[in-house]
Amino acid sequence: MTLQITETPPPYIEKKTRRGARKVPLREQLIGWIFVGPFGLVFLAFLVAPLAYALYLSLFRKAMIGGTSFVFLGNYAKAFTDPSFLDGAWFVVRFSLVLIPVQMLISLAMALILDMVTSSFARFSRLMIFLPYAIPAVIGALMWGFLYSKNFGPLGDIFGLFGASAPDFLSNDLVFYGLLNIVTWQWAGYYMIILYAALQGIDPTLYEAARIDGASSWQIVLRIKVPLITPALVLILVFALIGTLQFFNEPQILRDLAAGTIGPDFTPNMYAYQQAFGLANFNYGSAISFALGGVVFVCVYIFLFATRKRGSFLS
């Protein structure tokens, strides 16, 4: 009696890389690069290359006597001891501390109200609240500059009907609040849409269970809705932080209307713009831009690191 042993082929085992992922065939890799290639070229040409060139410029200093010389981090050291840069940065920090909470509270309140209203008026309200975001920042700043103006704006006539003088939101004392109003008006609707979308993603059975347990509408808001949309709140907080630290458009547009109030160094971005394109000091302007970018990166990283555990700063 002979024993016949038939060899069965071993089961197919996919080749895996060192990290356990399936090895992608070369043909699929090429197809992927073909799709990604055009975007990669544009990304390199219009973002990476200009940034690399600006970084290169920031390491040099050009003088009337001696020409251009390599100073390494000398421009950065000058920026962080420059009173104009530091004063602008301090204004932006103070502006952020007031603006971001105001924007978040207004957008959250509007999203909660619209989430409770299901009539056709709610759809119209969403559109009207979102509309300022669709208006270009330049047009919005010009419009508010006209409204604030003492010479040709309507505020003087309105306050004149009551025998009072209109507040000058372009003066030294009130320009902070004038800019605060413009930025809040423009961005609160955009943040509201993000929060409203997050509210729509909550399972309605949670509300029914809470009502069965006797929870009031206010308790549902505080203990169900707000905790469940905290990732969206963190997201808009990061957006607001990045946008506010790069504050430029509104004060630059209102600068001509607020003569003597908004100077060329009102914010760090305006100061970098003035150095680069007003004084042709591209080296120092590039250094200021990268210094500001570093500050923004550090602030955002610290905030995300502090809220990384549960993705929320409220829960």
Side-chain angles (χ1 to χ4, degrees), residues 27 32 40 42 67-68 122 162 227 237 241 246 272 278 306:
R27 183 172 176 273
V42 175
T68 303
F162 302 96
L237 197 152
L241 182 62
Q246 298 176 346

Side-chain angles (χ1 to χ4, degrees), residues 4 6 18 22 57 98 101 126 137 149 153 169 174 257 286-287:
Q4 293 183 349
T6 57
R18 186 174 301 173
R22 184 176 68 88
L57 288 179
V98 178
R126 286 199 300 271
S149 175
F169 287 104
L174 298 180
L257 299 174
S286 301

Side-chain angles (χ1 to χ4, degrees), residues 148-188:
Y148 288 161
S149 175
K150 293 188 300 182
N151 299 323
F152 46 81
L155 282 182
D157 296 334
I158 295 173
F159 277 81
L161 296 175
F162 302 96
S165 57
D168 186 4
F169 287 104
L170 299 178
S171 63
N172 283 319
D173 295 332
L174 298 180
V175 70
F176 183 94
Y177 304 100
L179 292 170
L180 184 74
N181 174 59
I182 296 174
V183 180
T184 303
W185 168 82
Q186 188 158 35
W187 287 93

